[in-house]
Amino acid sequence: MRLSQNVADIGREAKKIIVAIDGPAASGKSTTARRVAGKLGYVYIDTGAMYRSVTLRALESGMMDELRLTPEKVRFLLEGIAVTFEAGRVFLDGRDVTSAIRENRVSRHVSFISSLKPVRDHLKALQQEIGSGKGVVMDGRDIGTIVFPDAELKIFLVADVSERAKRRHRELLPGNREGGLLPSIDELKREIEQRDRDDAVRAHAPLKKHPDAVEIDTSGLTIEEQVECVYRLAMEKIAGTAECGAGA
Ligand code: DC
């Protein structure tokens, strides 16, 4: 996989920080991270979209069963893949896959793909390259623990699973391309619980809260409240960084 954008160069001029936002599926990470990045003038990177794009490629190339049998084949899968982010859209080899990667067939297989060490190593290196200039808000499962353990601000978002299933349902509605096969809220709840378990127990980079991360329960919060909370914490860190000249 390669980067087609000079995102690593963005944000090098001013003193900027890295905001790492982790948490379980549908806890509000992406929306919060995107809006906070917008307010800060930072680059937003949705690392879940990177894992989803690799998963879509595996499904479309008919490699999923092969990968289950021989995980080494994943290197073939990664070769030459380009995932790029432009104007809030995700592109896989130049094709807009923003809706396709949210389809449930991708959600069902993404935990398996993201449990493969070569996939994680590959994406981690890309994520670190993107964030090397700072001025980035990155969301995922292992950003604060593995990708950027020195991130100035680490956030861990959690939310009640029923609330998360409802959010995912709303998210799937406008982009439902699976022809009437939109899963029910109960089905989504079971799948989210399963994915939480898979993501938390996997051998490589499991979902875990960094001891320094600020935990925010978004169950009773509006999007605006979540964004305001994280933005305020980021501004405090930026002010601290600017005054002290070191990570606050
Ligand atoms: O955030 P999301 O639901 O779009 O993420 C999809 C999957 O990708 C999630 O089940 C686990 C995986 N993932 C990961 O393992 N590490 C990340 N940094 C981001 C996502």
Side-chain angles (χ1 to χ4, degrees):
M1 195 184 287
R2 64 192 156 75
L3 294 169
S4 79
Q5 227 179 326
N6 60 344
V7 280
D9 294 333
I10 299 172
R12 281 194 202 279
E13 315 89 35
K15 187 139 197 170
K16 294 190 171 179
I17 66 167
I18 293 177
V19 180
I21 304 185
D22 293 303
S27 54
K29 299 184 301 292
S30 304
T31 315
T32 307
R34 185 182 304 108
R35 295 211 197 166
V36 169
K39 279 167 80 86
L40 292 170
Y42 280 15
V43 173
Y44 163 56
I45 300 294
D46 173 358
T47 63
M50 296 169 107
Y51 286 95
R52 285 174 178 274
S53 297
V54 175
T55 306
L56 182 65
R57 163 61 73 88
L59 285 166
E60 289 182 339
S61 61
M63 281 180 77
M64 197 58 80
D65 290 340
E66 231 179 322
L67 292 174
R68 285 190 187 280
L69 295 171
T70 53
E72 305 77 46
K73 296 224 168 177
V74 78
R75 288 197 179 82
F76 292 107
L77 179 72
L78 293 168
E79 248 167 53
I81 288 188
V83 177
T84 54
F85 299 91
E86 274 169 45
R89 314 289 301 172
V90 186
F91 294 84
L92 171 60
D93 300 332
R95 176 167 60 108
D96 187 338
V97 294
T98 314
S99 301
I101 59 168
R102 299 283 150 206
E103 285 176 10
N104 229 34
R105 64 185 183 129
V106 173
S107 300
R108 277 195 295 269
H109 290 92
V110 68
S111 278
F112 164 67
I113 290 293
S114 56
S115 71
L116 301 171
K117 190 156 188 318
V119 173
R120 299 213 71 84
D121 290 346
H122 191 88
L123 294 186
K124 177 182 156 190
L126 277 174
Q127 291 153 9
Q128 288 178 332
E129 188 188 335
I130 293 168
S132 62
K134 301 210 175 190
V136 71
V137 181
M138 200 173 277
D139 81 325
R141 301 294 188 288
D142 60 342
I143 310 306
T145 51
I146 306 285
V147 181
F148 288 113
D150 294 330
E152 289 83 353
L153 178 60
K154 302 181 194 69
I155 302 286
F156 197 78
L157 290 187
V158 295
D160 172 72
V161 69
S162 302
E163 177 59 32
R164 291 191 282 139
K166 281 187 218 151
R167 286 180 192 169
R168 192 59 107 202
H169 196 257
R170 278 197 298 272
E171 195 179 275
L172 283 171
L173 278 175
N176 178 26
R177 295 157 27 130
E178 291 174 289
L181 296 177
L182 188 66
S184 69
I185 292 179
D186 274 349
E187 277 173 287
L188 285 171
K189 189 174 160 187
R190 280 193 294 277
E191 282 175 17
I192 286 174
E193 283 171 332
Q194 183 62 50
R195 201 138 61 85
D196 283 353
R197 276 194 294 275
D198 293 345
D199 291 345
V201 301
R202 70 182 174 216
H204 309 295
L207 171 66
K208 211 165 46 180
K209 177 177 173 273
H210 187 285
D212 295 345
V214 179
E215 182 168 320
I216 303 171
D217 187 337
T218 66
S219 308
L221 298 183
T222 63
I223 288 293
E224 287 69 27
E225 287 168 334
Q226 294 171 38
V227 171
E228 198 45 42
C229 183
V230 177
Y231 176 69
R232 194 172 37 76
L233 290 168
M235 290 307 284
E236 279 168 18
K237 290 288 179 187
I238 291 166
T241 305
E243 272 171 30
C244 307

